[in-house]
Amino acid sequence: MSKEEKDTKITINETEEENDYSGERKAGRVLPIFIIGLLATCYYIFVVELCIFTVQLLEAKVTFLVIFHLLFLLCVWCYLRTVMTPPAVPPEKFRPSESDKQLYLSDERPQVLQEILIRAAKDLPIYTKDPKGDVRYCATCQMLKPDRCHHCPVCNVCILKLDHHCVFLNNCVGFSNYKFFLLCLTYAMLLCIFTSAVSLHFSILFWTHQLPNSPSKVPIIVLFCLTTIFSIILFLFCLGQSELALTNVTSREENDNIADDTTEENNPYNLGFSKNLREVFGNEKKYWFLPIFSSLGDGFSFPMGEATEDIEKNAAFAKPPNEGI
């Protein structure tokens, strides 16, 4: 197969892939607007209909508003950081030289192609191979894949430590924004639980006629129903993501393990609960609960579970490129 034929084949595959994921791309443009609209609606009902029009005691009104605004602002801040932080991509050193690239495109023998990739990867921190034992290479991005890096077909780019592509964020969750994503889930869950509990209390007062009927009754009951449903969904989601973070496994790796019928014991990146958390949230605990980037490492090399070196060998605060707000 000539270089031109190989380039044509790659272009055709990219076009087919774009068509396959066009629905997710369209949904990714709409769903963030839906989420913002939902947050705005809940904000209005809780602040105006419940706190201003319904709550009588000043102390209760102030307490509800302070707690709600604290959780709401943290949730929105984390959501915006997750959405607006560009995914971290492999650095240029993982791109084969022009000569290696020409050799790769001009040949089609698997053994020769692997020899080219092995030679290109010999000085790079690449330890994981594909299921066949070959060096992982992305033909679309024309780059060697670092450990834990995967190609996102929706964004059409390779992402460092890819967890998953989220249509509700219109962005990939990976090395650069994984901490923000976990915090967003946590604060959203706490916000929904708090709002659900307060709106339940006043819904009961309406149902038992301890409060007179008013135009605020229906919005408050609707708020209770919505936040209760989302509390359950977010709780289950947080539970699953917490388990993955504590064992240092991404959602992509978890799915690959299920597909390959492998177990968590085979996870080389599991350093223990404490070090796994520090890899995501950093060494400075004062930053743990804020959407400020503090994850350890560079996104393309990771300490192994049995390594004698501590996680501090990768503890440089690597600021992701083009960091968001």
Side-chain angles (χ1 to χ4, degrees):
M1 185 184 293
S2 67
K3 177 182 179 297
E4 289 76 12
E5 290 173 331
K6 209 164 190 176
D7 286 341
T8 302
K9 186 177 179 181
I10 291 172
T11 304
I12 291 171
N13 289 338
E14 287 176 356
T15 304
E16 290 175 350
E17 204 168 65
E18 282 183 13
N19 293 332
D20 289 342
Y21 292 92
S22 60
E24 286 189 46
R25 293 190 182 97
K26 290 175 183 176
R29 299 186 189 102
V30 174
L31 288 175
I33 299 173
F34 169 76
I35 294 294
I36 293 171
L38 194 63
L39 283 169
T41 301
C42 291
Y43 180 90
Y44 168 79
I45 296 174
F46 188 90
V47 173
V48 178
E49 299 290 348
L50 196 153
C51 289
I52 296 178
F53 291 160
T54 305
V55 179
Q56 302 298 321
L57 290 175
L58 179 61
E59 295 84 354
K61 188 176 296 192
V62 171
T63 302
F64 291 158
L65 286 172
V66 168
I67 296 174
F68 178 82
H69 277 95
L70 178 63
L71 293 174
F72 184 85
L73 291 174
L74 284 169
C75 177
V76 171
W77 187 12
C78 293
Y79 181 77
L80 292 177
R81 288 305 307 271
T82 311
V83 170
M84 300 179 71
T85 300
V89 298
E92 281 299 310
K93 67 179 180 178
F94 286 91
R95 192 180 300 279
S97 65
E98 196 60 37
S99 58
D100 284 338
K101 192 186 301 183
Q102 295 299 328
L103 285 172
Y104 186 88
L105 291 172
S106 62
D107 210 309
E108 58 180 1
R109 291 169 293 176
Q111 185 177 354
V112 175
L113 295 179
Q114 266 305 296
E115 288 175 358
I116 296 169
L117 294 180
I118 290 169
R119 183 173 64 250
K122 64 181 175 63
D123 295 324
L124 296 173
I126 296 177
Y127 303 102
T128 56
K129 306 290 179 64
D130 68 12
K132 296 179 181 178
D134 295 337
V135 175
R136 300 188 309 140
Y137 179 75
C138 178
T140 304
C141 299
Q142 297 187 338
M143 295 190 83
L144 295 159
K145 290 183 180 180
D147 295 344
R148 315 188 80 175
C149 175
H150 296 277
H151 185 84
C152 173
V154 182
C155 297
N156 200 32
V157 68
C158 285
I159 308 295
L160 294 179
K161 198 182 177 183
L162 175 66
D163 189 84
H164 68 286
H165 182 92
C166 182
V167 291
F168 292 98
L169 302 169
N170 194 28
N171 199 6
C172 275
V173 176
F175 174 72
S176 61
N177 61 357
Y178 185 59
K179 174 191 173 184
F180 310 149
F181 174 70
L182 292 180
L183 289 177
C184 181
L185 286 179
T186 303
Y187 288 130
M189 179 189 68
L190 293 175
L191 178 65
C192 285
I193 290 173
F194 172 75
T195 307
S196 175
V198 174
S199 57
L200 172 63
H201 172 72
F202 286 93
S203 295
I204 291 173
L205 294 181
F206 279 121
W207 289 335
T208 55
H209 304 291
Q210 296 180 54
L211 280 176
N213 282 334
S214 72
S216 298
K217 177 180 178 179
V218 173
I220 290 172
I221 294 173
V222 170
L223 179 66
F224 164 69
C225 295
L226 282 174
T227 52
T228 300
I229 292 170
F230 278 102
S231 294
I232 296 169
I233 294 172
L234 288 168
F235 174 75
L236 295 174
F237 203 19
C238 280
L239 207 61
Q241 286 294 326
S242 298
E243 183 181 354
L244 293 179
L246 288 170
T247 54
N248 208 336
V249 179
T250 64
S251 298
R252 175 62 183 264
E253 290 164 350
E254 175 76 1
N255 293 335
D256 289 345
N257 288 342
I258 293 171
D260 298 337
D261 197 24
T262 55
T263 59
E264 287 183 4
E265 285 74 14
N266 297 325
N267 175 21
Y269 307 111
N270 191 351
L271 307 172
F273 288 173
S274 175
K275 290 181 180 179
N276 291 339
L277 280 179
R278 284 163 57 198
E279 191 169 299
V280 176
F281 291 97
N283 288 325
E284 298 287 336
K285 293 185 178 179
K286 62 184 178 182
Y287 297 123
W288 276 25
F289 303 103
L290 295 174
I292 298 171
F293 185 80
S294 57
S295 300
L296 303 183
D298 47 30
F300 55 81
S301 60
F302 303 89
M304 302 294 184
E306 298 301 322
T308 54
E309 297 87 0
D310 198 7
I311 192 174
E312 277 76 11
K313 81 183 184 73
N314 264 5
F317 278 24
K319 195 172 184 180
N322 303 320
E323 190 175 348
I325 58 170

